[in-house]
Structures are given as C-alpha cells and as structure tokens.
Amino acid sequence: SAVISQKPSRDICQRGTSLTIQCQVDSQVTMMFWYRQQPGQSLTLIATANQGSEATYESGFVIDKFPISRPNLTFSTLTVSNMSPEDSSIYLCSVAEPSYNEQFFGPGTRLTVL
Amino acid sequence: AQSVTQPDIHITVSEGASLELRCNYSYGATPYLFWYVQSPGQGLQLLLKYFSGDTLVQGIKGFEAEFKRSQSSFNLRKPSVHWSDAAEYFCAVGPPGNKLTFGGGTRVLVKP
C-alpha cells in the first residue's frame, strides 16, 4: 500500500494568481496521477505525472494551465496557473503500481478562487 | 474508450434498509472495476475491486458487488445501511496500476 500526503490541504486564492500543490508518497511508485473534482462532480483525470519527463495530459487540460513536475519517484507538484473561479475544485493526487492492484488517493487539496 | 455510468445521482435510504447502487461500464477488454467511497471532507477509500474469478466480490464495511458481464454492470449492495454510510460512492474502471475512469457518483443519504 501507499500513504499519500498533500499540501496545502486547502487554500483560498485570488483570481490571476497561481498555486502549487505538493504530493508526497511514503514509498517509490511508478505511476502518479492528478485528478480534479469540481463541486458536486466526479473525478476527472488531469494528467499522468511521469518521472524524468513531461507529464501526459488528458484532453481539455494543457501544460500552460496545469504545469506538473515529478523530480523523483515519491514526489510531484501540480500548479494551477492564472486561476479563475472556475478552478475552484478539489485536486487529488493518486499513485499506482501494477503490483498494487488498486490506486491510492491522497486526502485532496480544496481550492477556492475568489 | 472506457466509460462508467452511475444512473442514480442521489439515493435516500432508511437506516437498516438495504442499499443497491448501480454502475454500468464500457470497456474494450476484461474490465477492472472498483467502488470507492468518499465521506464528507474525506479522501477516497476503496470499498472493493473486481479483476476476475468469482463474480460476487466482498469488500469492507459490509459491502459487496456483483459483476455481470452480459449486462456490463457492477452493482454495489449492502444488506443493512448504517448512518455512517452516508457518503458519495464512485464506480471506476481501469487497468490495475494505471489511470481510472470514474462514474459521476451517487450520493447516499441515510434517514434515521
């Protein structure tokens, strides 16, 4: 299994600013993902964070808006850039290994943009 | 492309009554299916998963789910609901160790 922590747990930001969310895992993992959960909605995958290379983004998400770093096998960051109120969501980090047979989720970062 | 549909957005059930949440999926190969629960202000917790074998899967907190290939369904059940089961439930499909596609979720309200 894996234990995941995220920082910050919540934040309130002004439009036009950027916020970087950190995801830390207690063990080395192959796959790390970032999901967005808009208010009252389900989870939507933003991107797969690849260690040592550029993230792989899903349709509708772009690197300029959601730059992602993954410097090693236990850590990743997601930046929400030039924020607008539509970016108000919960952002979740998750990790997976083929041997895990499941995906583990962090507690999420609740972002409110004013 | 893979997809998951949860037809019921909200379900209200009395405490002690049975609960069934519906999930229909579309997947090109052998589906790997999951049910997660998200309690208010909490992260996602895995209830159970199905990869192969017995089509009736037992999970945590007294939940079970039945895989029916002919109906492309993976419905979640609990015989007797407790007030603490009030939460949002998500069905998901995807290969183990890789990205998941989630259904829209079903919010369960439990009446005393």
Side-chain angles (χ1 to χ4, degrees):
Chain A
S1 66
V3 177
I4 305 166
S5 60
Q6 287 185 233
K7 290 182 181 179
S9 58
R10 58 178 62 224
D11 207 342
I12 300 174
C13 302
Q14 297 298 317
R15 74 167 66 215
T17 63
S18 298
L19 176 72
T20 296
I21 302 168
Q22 299 179 4
C23 176
Q24 179 75 54
V25 191
D26 68 342
S27 59
Q28 294 186 340
V29 292
T30 304
M31 309 293 287
M32 293 183 77
F33 306 95
W34 287 98
Y35 290 85
R36 180 177 73 181
Q37 186 178 21
Q38 294 177 299
Q41 303 296 314
S42 184
L43 284 80
T44 302
L45 181 66
I46 298 171
T48 302
N50 301 309
Q51 195 265 328
S53 64
E54 200 169 277
T56 304
Y57 290 84
E58 298 297 306
S59 176
F61 297 96
V62 295
I63 187 171
D64 290 346
K65 176 66 175 178
F66 298 102
I68 288 171
S69 79
R70 185 158 180 208
N72 55 53
L73 293 175
T74 64
F75 186 78
S76 177
T77 66
L78 168 74
T79 299
V80 186
S81 304
N82 188 24
M83 288 185 285
S84 66
E86 292 70 37
D87 294 319
S88 298
S89 298
I90 298 173
Y91 292 87
L92 297 109
C93 169
S94 73
V95 302
E97 281 280 346
S99 60
Y100 286 171
N101 285 337
E102 67 177 273
Q103 198 164 122
F104 296 93
F105 286 83
T109 296
R110 184 180 294 273
L111 170 62
T112 301
V113 183
L114 303 178
Chain B
Q2 57 198 48
S3 66
V4 179
T5 301
Q6 294 180 243
D8 304 303
I9 298 174
H10 294 100
I11 285 182
T12 300
V13 60
S14 297
E15 192 167 15
S18 63
L19 174 69
E20 181 167 12
L21 305 182
R22 295 183 290 165
C23 171
N24 294 100
Y25 68 89
S26 174
Y27 194 74
T30 302
Y32 300 92
L33 295 157
F34 306 83
W35 274 101
Y36 285 87
V37 61
Q38 186 178 39
S39 299
Q42 303 295 310
L44 286 166
Q45 182 180 23
L46 181 69
L47 288 174
L48 48 77
K49 59 193 176 189
Y50 173 80
F51 292 165
S52 64
D54 194 345
T55 57
L56 186 62
V57 180
Q58 301 298 318
I60 63 171
K61 302 185 178 186
F63 284 92
E64 66 178 26
E66 185 171 13
F67 171 65
K68 293 185 177 180
R69 184 184 298 275
S70 62
Q71 299 177 18
S72 298
S73 70
F74 187 56
N75 294 348
L76 182 72
R77 298 193 294 254
K78 185 168 184 177
S80 178
V81 169
H82 186 262
W83 63 266
S84 60
D85 293 321
E88 186 98 25
Y89 292 80
F90 294 97
C91 182
V93 66
N98 213 321
K99 60 184 180 181
L100 297 177
T101 299
F102 285 84
T106 299
R107 182 170 298 276
V108 173
L109 303 175
V110 180
K111 295 190 301 185

